[in-house]
Amino acid sequence: MPVFDYDPPERFVAGALGQPGARVFYLQARAEGRLTTVALEKLQVAALAGRLDELLDEVLRLSGGTAQVPALAPADLADDAPLDVPLAEDFRVGTMALTWDAEKAQVVIEAQEAVDEDDLERLDPAVLRVRISAGAARAFTQRALQIVAAGRPPCPLCGQPLDAAGHVCVRLNGYRGGEAAS
């Protein structure tokens, strides 16, 4: 099982390439001349960002405010740069896990490779393991949520993403937006 371990990375970000509606999402970690890029779904990026914020808020709450966890992303940790190149996908993410290492005051993020059910010989999927500070985790979350929000705007009626040509809205009984008023 290849383990891509970054403790800590010089950079850990979420990013996307392509046009809204056809974007491919990535997590990318870089340190000491190594670069690991893993592909995942938009919903996985959103879930990771949401869970990271929840985890940090809970750590802060349980510590009574004494934990070194910033409430907001520190401005000096903001990263708006594009993904690093060359962009070579190491694997596609299946499952992810988050933990708080209280001894080191770090978040540990693990993204495990998706394995087909038909591929029973692959018992050791690849893993990307990243250890980052609470501030870096807040900065990661802020960027990840911006990346997710930069997609197609939601339909005001049903919340599903709108394509340039509209979409078939379930709230309009199958009519395309704008066609129901005729």
Side-chain angles (χ1 to χ4, degrees):
M1 157 176 80
V3 176
F4 303 94
D5 203 6
Y6 292 85
D7 183 13
E10 295 163 7
R11 184 176 193 223
F12 178 62
V13 295
L17 293 178
Q19 294 300 313
R23 294 187 296 165
V24 179
F25 291 82
Y26 298 99
L27 296 178
Q28 199 172 64
R30 179 187 71 212
E32 300 172 359
R34 295 182 306 131
L35 178 65
T36 303
T37 304
V38 297
L40 69 169
E41 299 297 323
K42 177 181 179 178
L43 292 175
Q44 289 175 298
V45 174
L48 176 58
R51 294 290 185 200
L52 265 173
D53 263 348
E54 289 174 7
L55 173 67
L56 294 172
D57 290 346
E58 186 68 5
V59 167
L60 196 54
R61 186 186 70 76
L62 290 175
S63 75
T66 61
Q68 294 180 340
V69 175
L72 300 172
D76 62 325
L77 294 179
D79 184 345
D80 296 325
L83 292 169
D84 290 334
V85 290
L87 192 67
E89 179 182 315
D90 290 291
F91 63 86
R92 177 160 285 283
V93 174
T95 59
M96 292 184 288
L98 286 176
T99 56
W100 173 254
D101 182 341
E103 186 176 308
K104 293 185 177 182
Q106 290 180 325
V107 175
V108 181
I109 301 165
E110 287 191 0
Q112 183 174 317
E113 180 181 19
V115 178
D116 287 335
E117 294 175 11
D118 299 335
D119 194 3
L120 297 178
E121 295 176 12
R122 283 286 314 266
L123 298 176
D124 292 329
V127 174
L128 169 62
R129 182 178 304 122
V130 179
R131 293 175 159 275
I132 55 177
S133 69
R138 292 280 194 207
F140 172 89
T141 296
Q142 184 177 27
R143 176 188 168 115
L145 292 175
Q146 289 170 349
I147 297 287
V148 168
R152 297 174 288 171
C155 171
L157 298 175
C158 70
Q160 294 298 312
L162 289 173
D163 291 322
H167 78 124
V168 178
C169 181
V170 296
R171 299 285 306 269
L172 295 175
N173 294 323
Y175 289 95
R176 287 195 173 273
E179 296 176 6
S182 51

